[in-house]
Amino acid sequence: DAKTTQPPSMDCAEGRAANLPCNHSTISGNEYVYWYRQIHSQGPQYIIHGLKNNETNEMASLIITEDRKSSTLILPHATLRDTAVYYCIVRVRNDMRFGAGTRLTVKP
Amino acid sequence: NAGVTQTPKFQVLKTGQSMTLQCAQDMNHEYMSWYRQDPGMGLRLIHYSVGAGITDQGEVPNGYNVSRSTTEDFPLRLLSAAPSQTSVYFCASTTGGLGTDTQYFGPGTRLTVL
């Protein structure tokens, strides 16, 4: 599976959009981009995934560049409960390789 | 559905002791896996199973055994606990397939080895 690079930490004001970047320059054609988050010490929670096209669900939007070498997770209106570690993972098989992720802190 | 359940929530062992961490899912998922998470780090895959009777090693399998006799259960055995195995252990399951399915994680077991 391709490796990913994420900033170690980011801050966001409550109510604003949180944009979390991820670089995956070695991604191959059949690898999906997945985003999970981990709130405090709970089990990781699925957010969204995509292959080529931009995706949106009730939690977030995923923007994938045309060359697929990077992506951005967008939380449109961040709340304090969105404070968590966010993991970007590219995978083709079921075993996922987690990096250190981005620690997002939403501030009042 | 209860989803993915793990027992116990907390466990303290002495070096050399053995124990089994339990994981069960009620979603009829074929694929199950075990991860460990050390402080300040991401999750690392220990073992996984693509169906009953089939298991394979992940990234950090040493010191752990698994078996899959039923679709629902995937226990993780620590053969002889060591302080380096102090960690939080997460079990996950998914329907399987080609890596396009969502993985569901359990709440974790916090293990301390003295």
Side-chain angles (χ1 to χ4, degrees):
Chain A
D1 293 344
K3 292 190 176 183
T4 62
T5 303
Q6 299 177 253
S9 64
M10 293 181 64
D11 291 341
C12 177
E14 188 179 18
R16 298 280 194 165
N19 297 284
L20 291 87
C22 179
N23 286 325
H24 32 79
S25 58
T26 61
I27 192 170
S28 60
N30 59 348
E31 286 185 311
Y32 284 74
V33 178
Y34 271 76
W35 284 84
Y36 278 74
R37 72 180 182 184
Q38 190 174 25
I39 296 173
H40 195 46
S41 298
Q42 299 174 19
Q45 176 190 23
Y46 166 81
I47 301 174
I48 198 167
H49 75 280
L51 182 62
K52 296 180 183 178
N53 300 321
N54 299 336
E55 301 288 344
T56 296
N57 63 19
E58 64 278 5
M59 289 183 66
S61 294
L62 174 61
I63 308 299
I64 303 174
T65 57
E66 193 169 341
D67 63 7
R68 301 209 326 122
K69 293 184 177 182
S70 66
S71 60
T72 301
L73 177 74
I74 301 173
L75 307 178
H77 306 286
T79 71
L80 299 178
R81 287 178 294 182
D82 291 322
T83 291
V85 177
Y86 288 77
Y87 297 100
C88 168
I89 301 159
V90 291
R91 60 184 269 225
V92 64
R93 300 182 306 276
N94 275 317
D95 50 311
M96 296 191 296
R97 304 297 169 105
F98 287 77
T102 295
R103 181 172 297 278
L104 174 69
T105 303
V106 181
K107 298 184 174 181
Chain B
N1 287 351
V4 180
T5 57
Q6 293 183 237
T7 56
K9 286 187 169 54
F10 300 93
Q11 183 70 49
V12 179
L13 292 177
K14 294 181 179 178
T15 297
Q17 287 185 316
S18 62
M19 79 158 295
T20 299
L21 280 61
Q22 302 292 343
C23 174
Q25 53 90 11
D26 61 0
M27 297 173 282
N28 203 31
H29 286 169
E30 290 296 321
Y31 184 92
M32 297 183 72
S33 53
W34 276 100
Y35 294 83
R36 62 175 286 175
Q37 185 174 32
D38 299 330
M41 298 183 66
L43 282 72
R44 291 185 294 170
L45 182 67
I46 305 171
H47 284 286
Y48 65 95
S49 168
V50 299
I54 306 169
T55 64
D56 206 346
Q57 296 181 349
E59 197 179 351
V60 289
N62 293 340
Y64 307 95
N65 273 357
V66 292
S67 60
R68 185 93 179 272
S69 56
T70 67
T71 299
E72 295 78 18
D73 300 298
F74 190 43
L76 177 73
R77 297 185 189 85
L78 278 70
L79 309 173
S80 178
S84 61
Q85 294 178 304
T86 294
S87 191
V88 181
Y89 291 84
F90 292 101
C91 179
S93 76
T94 183
T95 53
L98 299 177
T100 63
D101 300 304
T102 302
Q103 288 213 12
Y104 297 89
F105 285 82
T109 293
R110 283 145 185 82
L111 176 68
T112 301
V113 183
L114 303 175

